[in-house]
Amino acid sequence: MSRIVNFSLTFVILAAAMLRLAPAIGAADWPQFRGSNSNSVTTDPQPPATWSETENVAWKADLPGRGPSSPIVVGDRVIVTCSSGVKQDRLHVLCFAAATGKRLWERQFWATGRTLTHASSANAAPTPASDGKLLFAFYSSNDLICLDLDGNLKWLRGLAYDFPRTGNDVGMSSSPVVLGDVAIAQVESQGNAFAVGVDKLTGETRWQIPRPRVPGWSSPIIMHTDNPPRDVVLLQSPSQLTAHDPATGKELWAYQVACDAICSAVSEGGVVYVPSKGMTALRPNSTDKPDVVWNAAGVQPGAASVVCDKGRLFLINRTGVLTCASATDGQVLSRVRLQGEFWGTPALVGDRLYCMAQDGACQVVEVSSDGRKADVIGKSQLDSPLQSSPAVSSGALYVRSDHRLWKIAAP
Amino acid sequence: MHTFRMVSRSALVLGSLVGIVIFAGGAKPVANLQPKLTTLRNVAAEGQGHRAATQAWSDLTVEARADQLPEILAALDGAGPLAANWIRAAVDAVAEREVEQGGTLPLGELEKFLAQKDHDQRARRLAYEWIARGDSTAPDRLIPEMLDDPSLEMRREAVARVLLSAEKAAADKKTEAALAAYQQALVAARDVDQVLATAEALKKLEHPVDLARYFGFLMDWKLVGPFDNRGGKGFAVSYPPEENLDLTTKYRGADGEVGWVTHHTDNEFGFVDVNQALGKHKGAASYAVAEFLSDRAGPVEIRLGTENANKIWLNDKLLASTDVYHNNIAMDQYVGRGELRSGRNVILLKICQNEQTEDWAQDWKFQCRVCDTSGKAILSTDRPVTGTAERATADASQPAAKTTQE
């Protein structure tokens, strides 16, 4: 009897432990800006290389507002934000069925912070994030809204309401991340600048740290380190890159050098690749300053963030040239000129890089495993302006232009 | 016994009535929403009250019946910006559920709510949007009567309809009708894009609009400077014009003695180029003063557009302060809310330039207008009448009887 009790107890404990350890995010999910690992890479099946109005478009949906924000995919749902109104002060969160494109629900809110942006941007510039159960929608007006996957409101914070003088009339675009129990938002403007870790269940502030009072548009990224094994959040500003404990906000190390204000860093294998003086590779150590592994001044990304996979870095510069550089030393491995100007970060699926230009020109580049060969294998056209980054899930590409959301997938 | 029977019968009748009231419109009883709405209205900054609000929102959206939507909407009256969002999300959730379940929205009651113009304007607009989803005739029935609506969103749709009719009349060569419609739109319009589109059309009809007057831009200024703002430190320094405004005095400026300079702008959007008026300076603070005569006291908005750090005073009272440089420029970018006196008023601006060297960081300019809370211009009583399309613009510039900021 006691054996049975012990076995049952062990089973329960093991099951509970497995449940605790099991991530709410599925393997096929694309739960935040640049995907699960903030690197725009997935091992999912490849979407088609070309599409048209009559081919490989599974569905498309009109959106009630504008936005450079990117779609995310959580389970069988696609979530996208947009903003509307003469003053861009209406905030929308929309949820679509990934299979059919049916709009499952929509929630609207009113901005509580500044809504003015450059004409090319919109209030819905940051990409939402999810932990698999909750959604965290963020806007240029610094409104942070938490909903469940059925659209039920859990909490909302007006970070500009809470902390006056926060805002940038050019527009803000930093996308939040969720790590552990905390949703993290990076808010950097001339009037006020801080990063905040908000309890994802209650909306209460777990921590808040000051940041440089200069405009910044880059997004926090999650970095996994092996020694010690843990996830840290990296915050990039025009004057520094810092690593923080996501639970407390405590600064773990800092790299005090000019960094790009828009293009965000990427990490792989314990190394951070920062758009700084071209590109710079940093390896954290046991001190409060990381080691500089290499610097490549000739490798200069534009607004699109950096993609990294298996020792290859992919960057698109301001003139539309895609560079593949070695993550080992920053040496250029190959270059290919693409059509258009790029704001969205490309997505790497297997050996295909899906690049979406602002004018709607979508180009698929096939890259060799050593990075020395890169060829455009597909060109397709979508609406413009298209400033978002594609999301990939289960062989489908989800792309959002200013007013429309597409699912690109083979039938 | 008789009394008992009477009481029993009364209780039965009362019980039946209560039952009818409770179960009217469906099986769901009428829930008392007020405690939950109060909880939502009590949310405050930095997450205060959110835990209770989360539960209240969840309970409210489950318990509320569709016929209680006007009650939920009414909770938006006077709600703070955070609370308003909790309440609006509840309205949408309840209405959406009703529609999804094949029920009917209380369109008549929502229309009554919409008709009550003293409700929160965003609540009225929200009511309208649910009415329009349930009644396809609503836009044609309701919008044309809303040219003077305090909700700027409702007004915008009404203006858009008038503009469409004006365009059609113009296309049909019915010039008088087109002119009348455009002038009607001009009087009603508050959104800049609609005003500019209307003005452009009137110009083609040889009735140009004095836009500076229409918007209420201040064109005549006295400026003084530069004062030291190196390192941005001068923004916080109270130079003499802030302490004791005397337009006959000279001051010690950043580069020597400075005095007030009279400046008139002819720019149709009222732009004053400080680089032109005072010379090009970097790391410099300037002051600009305008007198404004009003025939009545009342609330007013001083609206400023500038890429430069700025402060706005009205009659020595600081209304707004923004220490930000070269982060875009737009009309009505910064708003100072104050009270006009009857008679002479003094508007003082501080416009600061930093030391950035980029080409795009050389602008040192501003535009400033005086208007009511809807954006309708309020003109100084000594402002001369100019230009054509006078009647429309003059009408538009009169103080609104009642306007509400959304």
Side-chain angles (χ1 to χ4, degrees), chain A residues 86 90 106-110 114 116-117 152-157 161-162 168-169 190 202 204, chain B residues 45-46 50-51 54 57 81-82 85-86 88 93 96 122 125 129 153 156 324-325 327-328 333:
Chain A
V86 174
R90 280 207 188 203
E106 178 189 2
R107 287 283 171 270
Q108 284 192 42
F109 302 90
W110 293 304
R114 297 186 71 79
L116 185 61
T117 69
N152 293 307
L153 177 62
K154 295 302 177 184
W155 50 263
L156 61 89
R157 292 285 300 272
Y161 180 82
D162 293 350
N168 181 343
D169 286 353
Q190 280 188 53
T202 66
E204 293 165 355
Chain B
E46 300 190 43
H50 282 48
R51 287 179 192 238
T54 303
W57 192 91
L82 297 175
N85 274 316
W86 284 86
R88 122 150 252 161
E96 191 176 85
R122 294 193 295 194
R125 174 70 194 186
E129 289 179 5
E153 285 182 291
R156 178 180 177 82
V324 168
Y325 295 88
N327 265 212
N328 208 352
Q333 190 172 6

Side-chain angles (χ1 to χ4, degrees), chain A residues 32-77:
Chain A
Q32 61 187 11
F33 180 51
R34 300 161 76 200
S36 296
N37 298 315
S38 306
N39 64 354
S40 304
V41 177
T42 179
T43 55
D44 266 21
Q46 286 177 330
T50 58
W51 56 89
S52 67
E53 282 290 324
T54 56
E55 180 194 21
N56 292 333
V57 174
W59 52 261
K60 60 185 175 184
D62 290 335
L63 300 175
R66 300 182 50 221
S69 67
S70 306
I72 63 171
V73 182
V74 185
D76 58 359
R77 295 171 179 224

Side-chain angles (χ1 to χ4, degrees), chain B residues 63-275:
Chain B
E63 295 169 8
R65 299 180 353 169
D67 58 5
Q68 291 178 291
L69 281 170
E71 180 185 354
I72 308 174
L73 283 163
L76 284 164
D77 293 342
L82 297 175
N85 274 316
W86 284 86
I87 296 165
R88 122 150 252 161
V91 170
D92 287 340
V94 171
E96 191 176 85
R97 184 198 62 213
E98 186 71 9
V99 171
E100 280 177 1
Q101 293 178 351
T104 54
L105 297 177
L107 299 181
E109 293 304 309
L110 290 174
E111 251 187 77
K112 285 181 189 168
F113 185 92
L114 173 63
Q116 293 164 0
K117 294 184 179 179
D118 53 348
H119 277 309
D120 178 89
Q121 300 312 322
R122 294 193 295 194
R124 292 181 61 237
R125 174 70 194 186
L126 184 54
Y128 167 76
E129 289 179 5
W130 280 107
I131 294 167
R133 284 176 65 164
D135 176 3
S136 60
T137 70
D140 288 342
R141 283 193 297 108
L142 301 173
I143 293 295
E145 303 302 317
M146 292 182 161
L147 268 175
D148 195 31
D149 199 90
S151 161
L152 297 189
E153 285 182 291
M154 305 305 305
R155 180 189 289 249
R156 178 180 177 82
E157 288 198 24
V159 170
R161 284 174 176 250
V162 174
L163 286 176
L164 276 178
S165 70
E167 287 165 16
K168 185 173 185 313
D172 294 343
K173 308 292 183 193
K174 298 175 180 172
T175 304
E176 287 303 313
L179 196 58
Y182 279 125
Q183 288 184 330
Q184 185 185 24
L186 190 65
V187 171
R190 293 292 179 273
D191 291 328
V192 174
D193 62 329
Q194 287 188 327
V195 172
L196 296 184
T198 308
E200 184 64 28
L202 283 168
K203 188 177 176 183
K204 286 179 183 168
L205 294 173
E206 298 181 347
H207 281 68
V209 177
D210 180 349
L211 284 172
R213 180 186 175 86
Y214 179 89
F215 285 121
F217 288 118
L218 301 178
M219 311 298 275
D220 291 290
W221 294 88
K222 302 251 186 216
L223 290 96
V224 67
F227 297 91
D228 188 7
N229 187 39
R230 286 171 295 179
K233 293 177 180 173
F235 179 79
V237 176
S238 291
Y239 289 112
E242 296 182 35
E243 299 296 319
N244 182 22
L245 190 61
D246 181 350
L247 298 177
T248 63
T249 303
K250 291 188 181 298
Y251 307 106
R252 183 174 177 178
D255 305 321
E257 191 177 70
V258 293
W260 292 96
V261 173
T262 299
H263 185 84
H264 173 83
T265 177
D266 287 322
N267 183 281
E268 67 178 342
F269 293 98
F271 275 111
V272 174
D273 187 343
V274 183
N275 281 325

Side-chain angles (χ1 to χ4, degrees), chain A residues 233-268:
Chain A
V233 62
L234 304 183
L235 304 177
Q236 178 185 325
S237 301
S239 59
Q240 62 181 18
L241 179 86
T242 53
H244 299 263
D245 179 340
T248 64
K250 180 188 174 189
E251 185 176 294
L252 304 172
W253 54 262
Y255 177 60
Q256 301 281 358
V257 176
C259 301
D260 196 276
I262 301 173
C263 170
S264 301
V266 67
S267 80
E268 182 181 60

Side-chain angles (χ1 to χ4, degrees), chain A residues 168 170-175 188 215-219 238 261-264, chain B residues 327:
Chain A
N168 181 343
V170 176
M172 301 182 77
S173 64
S174 181
S175 301
E188 298 185 357
W217 294 271
S218 60
S219 296
I262 301 173
C263 170
S264 301
Chain B
N327 265 212

Side-chain angles (χ1 to χ4, degrees), chain B residues 37-48:
Chain B
L37 289 169
T38 300
T39 301
L40 298 187
R41 285 172 61 97
N42 284 341
V43 296
E46 300 190 43
Q48 294 173 61

